[in-house]
Amino acid sequence: MSAVILDGKKTAEEIKRELTGQVAKLSNKPGLGTLLVGSDPGSVSYVAGKHRDCADVGMKSIRIDLPETASKQDVLAAIKELNSSPEVTGYIVQLPLPGKMDSREILQAIDPAKDADGLHPENLGKLVMNVAGHFDSPLPCTPAGIVELLRRYQVSLAGAEVAIIGRGLTVGRPLGLLLSSKQVDATPVLLHSASKHIEEHVRRADIVVAAVGQPGFVRKDWIKPGAAVLDVGITRRANELVGDVDPTVVEVAGYFAPNPGGVGPMTRAMLMTNVVKLATKIS
Ligand code: NAP
């Protein structure tokens, strides 16, 4: 048996085509802003990709790049500019921030109505409060991309047991909230570095999401035959990106989102989706 590949690249292209049609109907073209601090190669490449996506769907993009040496005050001043700019419908602060800068304090300064990543505490709070799951606030992009990818491949989510490995802010923690909303109705188990018997949880799971950042963490013999496995964690090695899942899981899984090419492009597509939704609210 070989798993059906959850092709995030192809699915993201479909979503971008849909968004292009929606953007064309808006009288005011939406604009995505990015704030990049420093020159981490991964971050530089992600930001460039987001600007290419904007051009593809007919959106404006606004870019502020600050040097590695920028102070907290410099970053907050840039955020103030993005909050007040009429060109900017929504924006992101590219994480991680360099040095010891506290990303929580920076994220809190974002106007929640322009929070394209859905990571402002007000929007995360709405994700917690809205058990019914009819969200009108921006959702964190990677969790939303994971759910959308599974839905488009008709992987059954209602009642599914989902092992999420990693409780980070951008993936595991908000994904558990989204999956347990009534609109999705899955049963997530959130695993982390202090969890016991991780592989036993994974063996029972219908869906496995690995968001740890350790190459090959999830092994083929952990996977229940037919389960859906999504490789989200990223480790940069020389010139390649390596995921958390041993790629031989394709031999036992029913569905497999590889890394790269699975959840990454979906994250970007959900960012565009959030901005178009924000623009539709305004117009
Ligand atoms: P993060 O803040 O990097 O946290 C990593 C998580 O992994 C933590 O919860 C940590 O547990 C857990 N962990 C570390 N070692 C472990 C172990 N041995 N056993 C079990 N759990 C362990 O999380 P993040 O920001 O959510 O990102 C997670 C990964 O996804 C990163 O590699 C990131 O680069 C990647 N990512 C990918 C995309 C994409 O679009 N593909 C988007 C965002 C992030 P503790 O909390 O106990 O320390």
Side-chain angles (χ1 to χ4, degrees), residues 142 166-168 170-171 192-193 198 211-214 217 232-234 264 267:
T142 306
R167 58 180 163 187
T170 53
V171 192
H192 46 79
S193 65
I198 289 184
V212 178
Q214 286 186 26
F217 185 86
V232 185
I234 299 169
T267 299

Side-chain angles (χ1 to χ4, degrees), residues 3 8 24 28-29 33 76 80 88 134 154 161 166 189 192 239 258 269:
N28 278 330
K29 293 290 160 255
L76 290 173
K80 206 170 165 195
V88 177
H134 300 285
Q154 292 168 358
E161 289 199 24
V189 178
H192 46 79
N239 280 333

Side-chain angles (χ1 to χ4, degrees), residues 62-80:
I62 300 96
R63 178 173 183 150
I64 300 183
D65 291 358
L66 296 177
E68 192 100 20
T69 50
S71 66
K72 187 174 87 180
Q73 282 66 33
D74 297 331
V75 176
L76 290 173
I79 288 189
K80 206 170 165 195

